[in-house]
Amino acid sequence: MTDSKVIVAIRGGGPARADVAALVERCAAAGATRVQVNLSDDPVSGAMRIDELDPPITAVVAFWAPDPGAVLAVVDDGLHGPIAAWEVTDRAPLNPELPADGSRIDALSNIAFLRRPDDLDRDEWLRRWLDDHTQVAIDTQATFGYVQNIVERPLTENAPSVAAIVEELFPMEAVNDIHAFYGSGGDQQELERRMTLMLESVTRFGADRHLDVVPTSRHDFDLSRSRA
């Protein structure tokens, strides 16, 4: 059976780093083969965030499992505060080899929750995002990891209307340095050029408004290794 990927947004009181190991163990017992936990914590507290939702997103859990419902149930039981979950299909234009032992990835992991404007149908929205925008995002920012998650369906009642969830990995310097974020090397003119191109591109598919951007620390757990 093929694993499904699910992304869960935790709002309000999210898990602390000390809670992560127990959460992952419960997910493994319910059948998850991989778990990724992203925490909005102290190392990334200086980064820009955008909150459309209230209460805001404080952590994001992604998991892969043949039976996502069983894993989602234990995630819901083990967390405080409201959650929202979506089944997604992912693609990774930038997919570096990263540790999957639960250690913190040395990066600023920005997770963006995108909405589709009402005046764009889904096919056109996906074309503008996936076909037109992807290379612009890579060329204008200092990302070394880039995962695009297309939302297929909500899995929780009253989940916010979200069309896609994007994760981008930046060097840690990008938390406090906009030149490090855009890869402009301290050149103000180059920074402005990159920012302008990026804004023009995201505007074409509505990602310049009504989005949540959550700066996080990322921890990966490849549970299939422990079962091998």
Side-chain angles (χ1 to χ4, degrees):
M1 183 182 296
T2 303
D3 286 356
S4 298
K5 181 179 181 181
V6 173
I7 295 180
V8 184
I10 298 100
R11 298 167 58 194
R17 180 66 187 91
D19 304 325
V20 169
L23 174 62
V24 172
E25 287 180 7
R26 291 194 299 271
C27 290
T33 58
R34 178 184 167 194
V35 178
Q36 178 181 320
V37 181
N38 288 64
L39 304 174
S40 184
D41 57 7
D42 286 345
V44 297
S45 61
M48 180 193 74
R49 67 176 292 146
I50 301 171
D51 294 317
E52 178 81 2
L53 296 174
D54 183 19
I57 298 168
T58 55
V60 179
V61 175
F63 64 81
W64 290 250
D67 179 6
V71 182
L72 182 59
V74 302
V75 172
D76 192 10
D77 288 342
L79 295 173
H80 303 290
I83 70 166
W86 303 266
E87 185 173 342
V88 302
T89 299
D90 67 359
R91 59 178 238 173
L94 296 175
N95 191 23
E97 289 289 332
L98 298 171
D101 57 3
S103 60
R104 184 189 184 280
I105 304 300
D106 185 23
L108 162 64
S109 173
N110 262 1
I111 302 183
F113 293 75
L114 309 181
R115 280 83 172 173
R116 176 174 59 83
D118 292 338
D119 59 349
L120 286 178
D121 65 38
R122 188 171 189 265
D123 288 345
E124 176 62 16
W125 185 83
L126 287 171
R127 188 194 68 77
R128 293 188 188 190
W129 173 40
L130 300 177
D131 296 343
D132 296 345
H133 174 72
T134 297
Q135 194 60 48
V136 175
I138 292 171
D139 290 344
T140 59
Q141 300 177 112
T143 45
F144 65 91
Y146 186 17
V147 180
Q148 299 167 317
N149 299 282
I150 303 164
V151 169
E152 302 297 345
R153 63 187 179 107
L155 296 178
T156 52
E157 187 176 0
N158 299 321
S161 179
V162 170
I165 302 165
V166 179
E167 181 185 16
E168 293 177 299
L169 297 177
F170 296 85
M172 277 302 294
E173 293 79 9
V175 169
N176 298 301
D177 183 350
I178 195 168
H179 286 287
F181 188 96
Y182 282 98
S184 50
D187 184 324
Q188 186 64 27
Q189 185 174 353
E190 177 62 11
L191 172 64
E192 292 173 4
R193 185 189 73 84
R194 291 179 178 226
M195 292 177 68
T196 298
L197 288 174
M198 184 66 175
L199 179 58
E200 289 174 348
S201 185
V202 297
T203 299
R204 293 192 67 247
F205 64 101
D208 59 328
R209 57 196 182 276
H210 302 307
L211 76 163
D212 295 86
V213 177
V214 188
T216 69
S217 295
R218 169 174 163 174
H219 305 264
D220 284 338
F221 301 82
D222 184 351
L223 304 175
S224 64
R225 296 181 183 179
S226 62
R227 296 170 181 167

